[in-house]
Amino acid sequence: MSDPILSVEGLGVNYGRVEAVRNVSFEVPEGALVTLVGANGAGKTSVLNAVSGLLRPRQGVITFEGNDITKWPAHRLVKAGLVQVPEGREILGTLTVAENLSLGGWHRKNSTLHAKVSEVYERFPVLFERRKLHAGALSGGEQQMLSIARALIAEPKVLLLDEPSMGLAPKIVDEVFAVIEEIRLTGTTVVLVEQNARRALAAADYGYVLETGEVSHFGPAHELLADEKVIEAYLGLD
Ligand code: ATP
């Protein structure tokens, strides 16, 4: 097998004395959709934030395209193609939809930015329709689409998605998962953090289950979906 585009080895994250993540390792093959699932507080966001440079891990090595990126700041990682869609969307409600999208291309020349924004509008016609509105006026689902679209402006090689289905109605969750599927069909590698384990595993190639800061199970996603222990512990309730 060729080298993974992204790999995490022995990751540890602390908040002061709280050990949130312990010895987490995973690999993301190029073009794959890998999901990290687990209960609230299991450490999924901490892992993702360490990968995207938003927090500095206590231990471990993160490798992206063969480079040790463990100490790279977030803005350098975005330029290199590792882009995160944060938990809770983090769109700027008082700016327009168009302005929010432009922020996704802060590091681009104006000409390339315009071309990229047009491309994104073709993919998300509702954002084109609402481009002059304040982003705060959008529905939750539209805001999630905006947050994903903003990340796409940066042309990620690896897109890191943190709980994109959070707080959305089932029909809108379907739409979000359809968009994720489309993104990976364009060849973009996706790392998806989700509490909605059944849904995420159904969409993924590989899955890692996090339990109190550690990986408890991992493997091909369809095998995890068929694993009685995983179902009992994480999938039984939905
Ligand atoms: P969620 O679904 O709530 O986002 P998660 O699986 O993403 O959960 P994390 O947010 O990574 O989990 O949290 C892992 C652990 O670290 C939890 O015990 C949490 O309380 C703790 N934690 C997270 N952020 C902080 C922080 N800023 N300060 C202190 N403890 C934190």
Side-chain angles (χ1 to χ4, degrees), residues 15 20 39-46 87 163 195:
Y15 298 99
N40 197 351
K44 306 179 299 296
T45 296
S46 301
E87 185 172 20
E163 303 256 7
Q195 267 188 64

Side-chain angles (χ1 to χ4, degrees), residues 53-203:
L54 293 179
L55 61 80
R56 183 62 63 85
R58 180 181 52 83
Q59 260 182 351
V61 177
I62 306 168
T63 308
F64 175 59
E65 293 191 308
N67 298 309
D68 179 347
I69 58 159
T70 317
K71 293 186 176 161
W72 288 23
H75 62 87
R76 184 172 174 200
L77 291 169
V78 169
K79 285 187 184 167
L82 197 65
V83 183
Q84 184 170 16
V85 177
E87 185 172 20
R89 349 258 194 242
E90 296 198 10
I91 56 135
L92 297 167
T94 55
L95 298 186
T96 65
V97 168
E99 287 164 343
N100 271 274
L101 287 176
S102 297
L103 288 176
W106 55 271
H107 56 304
R108 295 181 163 271
K109 289 200 199 93
N110 268 347
S111 53
T112 8
L113 175 61
H114 287 313
K116 205 62 212 163
V117 170
S118 307
E119 206 181 299
V120 158
Y121 281 146
E122 270 173 41
R123 197 147 174 199
F124 299 92
V126 70
L127 297 182
F128 179 71
E129 279 165 32
R130 306 208 189 301
R131 65 193 180 284
K132 292 179 183 157
L133 293 184
H134 283 156
L138 301 184
S139 69
E142 288 164 353
Q143 290 187 3
Q144 184 61 66
M145 295 303 179
L146 175 58
S147 185
I148 294 173
R150 182 180 56 188
L152 293 179
I153 299 277
E155 289 194 308
K157 294 176 185 162
V158 175
L159 184 68
L160 308 166
L161 288 158
D162 195 352
E163 303 256 7
S165 77
M166 191 168 63
L168 301 178
K171 190 171 152 280
I172 312 298
V173 172
D174 289 346
E175 287 174 22
V176 169
F177 272 90
V179 165
I180 295 170
E181 188 58 30
E182 268 178 44
I183 291 171
R184 65 89 56 104
L185 286 176
T186 65
T188 307
T189 307
V190 178
V191 179
L192 170 64
V193 155
E194 262 297 337
Q195 267 188 64
N196 190 340
R198 194 184 293 277
R199 199 64 205 260
L201 286 169

Side-chain angles (χ1 to χ4, degrees), residues 11-40:
L11 188 73
V13 175
N14 271 42
Y15 298 99
R17 268 186 257 157
V18 178
E19 201 180 21
V21 173
R22 266 183 312 281
N23 197 26
V24 165
S25 300
F26 61 94
E27 291 195 344
V28 183
E30 188 162 10
L33 196 164
V34 173
T35 189
L36 310 179
V37 297
N40 197 351

